[in-house]
Amino acid sequence: MRVFLTGATGFIGSHVLPELLARGHEVIGLTRSQAGARQLAEAGAQAHFGTLEDLDSLRAGAARADAIVHTAFDHDFSHFAENCEKDRRVITALGEGWQGTARPLLITSGVGMGSIAPGVPASEDVFDSAHPHPRVASEQAGAALLAQGVNVSVVRLPQVHDTVKQGLITPYVALSRQQGRAAYVGEGGNRWSAAAVGDVARLYVLALERGEAGARYHAVAEEGVPMRSIAEQVGRGLGVPAVSLSPAEAPAYFGWLASFAGLDLTASSVITRRTLGWTPTGPSLLEDLARMDYGAAA
């Protein structure tokens, strides 16, 4: 297939790209710069110039393709709600004109959208369209396109990691360095699900090739890593203490991260593994954090 890949030079997309090429797909990668175009050409892909703000550029990219894999997202979490609404507009634009075709549109969301109650792992067969989390906008947009006859499916992400980036933990490391301590809330028993970026990239390709319209897939290798364990490993890497904060103290320390710091973000991938035959093999989150060069991360 000729695949239009958004986020093709980003953290996840740059790993999805070689997986697609290895499977014999032709890739058209979205980029905003000449440097990105050169990176794509060196990888063996075509460049399509555009941005998430320029919806016409996205529509033009989609018109060139047999399939779309949408991994791009504006990761300025200090404007998270606004960026989720931007993603709603992007997904809507990508799906325009694809009604009634078999061409797959694979979008991205977060595993929290499959949560039904605190402490219960999020599941692929759960979606609350009235979920208060802002990322619900992405799946609302996908559901609207699905109802119009677009072949939409979703990959939900946990904390995706290697030894350079680890989702929300990347800004947490920077915050811990700035504060001189790696903090967690209460006993730090809340957990975050995780997966190595190489495993996640393989899942995108499996979902593209074998996925079904309306399906949701969880890129989860570890159902839940305790926040205290994360803090202790980050503290060791930075040479700072890991400390407990009360819920009242958390906002002053975490800033915009406070809304995430105490959440229990466990998730299951049982359905995904069964339906797609996905078996993650990469390192654990704590293993990648242990191998990270904290000097380079600064």
Side-chain angles (χ1 to χ4, degrees):
M1 291 184 286
R2 181 181 295 112
V3 182
F4 181 39
L5 175 62
T6 73
T9 60
F11 176 46
I12 293 174
S14 64
H15 287 80
V16 174
L17 172 57
E19 294 286 342
L20 287 169
L21 293 173
R23 293 285 297 168
H25 300 292
E26 180 182 343
V27 178
I28 303 167
L30 179 68
T31 182
R32 64 173 67 229
S33 69
Q34 290 293 339
R38 288 192 295 272
Q39 181 179 339
L40 291 170
E42 290 170 0
Q46 301 176 42
H48 177 82
F49 289 94
T51 68
L52 297 182
E53 294 75 24
D54 182 356
L55 299 183
D56 285 339
S57 71
L58 301 178
R59 296 184 185 101
R64 300 174 60 189
D66 306 312
I68 300 170
V69 177
H70 174 46
T71 69
F73 188 79
D74 188 336
H75 287 95
D76 179 358
F77 286 101
S78 62
H79 296 90
F80 184 60
E82 297 96 313
N83 291 334
C84 290
E85 287 302 317
K86 182 195 297 185
D87 199 50
R88 182 200 300 273
R89 295 190 293 272
V90 167
I91 291 168
T92 301
L94 289 171
E96 288 182 12
W98 284 45
Q99 293 86 350
T101 74
R103 293 182 294 176
L105 167 56
L106 184 59
I107 66 174
T108 303
S109 181
V111 292
M113 298 303 97
S115 177
I116 57 174
V120 179
S123 177
E124 299 95 327
D125 56 0
V126 172
F127 173 54
D128 177 5
S129 63
H131 199 291
H133 193 285
R135 194 66 198 258
V136 74
S138 301
E139 294 201 34
Q140 287 173 340
L145 289 173
L146 184 69
Q148 297 168 22
V150 179
N151 180 9
V152 180
S153 54
V154 183
V155 170
R156 289 173 171 169
L157 300 179
Q159 305 306 307
V160 181
H161 59 84
D162 62 8
T163 58
V164 178
K165 293 185 177 181
Q166 303 88 22
L168 288 172
I169 299 167
T170 297
Y172 172 72
V173 171
L175 178 64
S176 299
R177 178 183 288 107
Q178 176 187 348
Q179 295 278 6
R181 51 187 178 155
Y184 52 90
V185 180
E187 296 182 358
N190 61 298
R191 299 155 296 166
W192 288 2
S193 55
V197 67
D199 288 327
V200 172
R202 288 192 298 105
L203 177 60
Y204 271 97
V205 178
L206 286 172
L208 179 70
E209 295 179 341
R210 305 182 191 175
E212 298 181 358
R216 297 173 290 269
Y217 303 106
H218 281 191
V220 173
E222 297 179 274
E223 285 198 0
V225 183
M227 190 62 201
R228 179 169 180 167
S229 298
I230 294 170
E232 289 173 343
Q233 184 58 65
V234 170
R236 284 191 291 270
L238 291 173
V240 302
V243 300
S244 171
L245 300 179
S246 70
E249 294 172 315
Y253 174 93
F254 285 103
W256 64 264
L257 264 173
S259 60
F260 298 97
L263 293 180
D264 195 64
L265 299 175
T266 59
S268 168
S269 58
V270 170
I271 295 173
T272 297
R273 296 182 194 222
R274 183 178 68 242
T275 58
L276 295 183
W278 179 66
T279 303
T281 60
S284 71
L285 172 60
L286 294 180
E287 287 171 341
D288 269 349
L289 288 175
R291 290 197 295 260
M292 187 168 77
D293 183 346
Y294 286 81

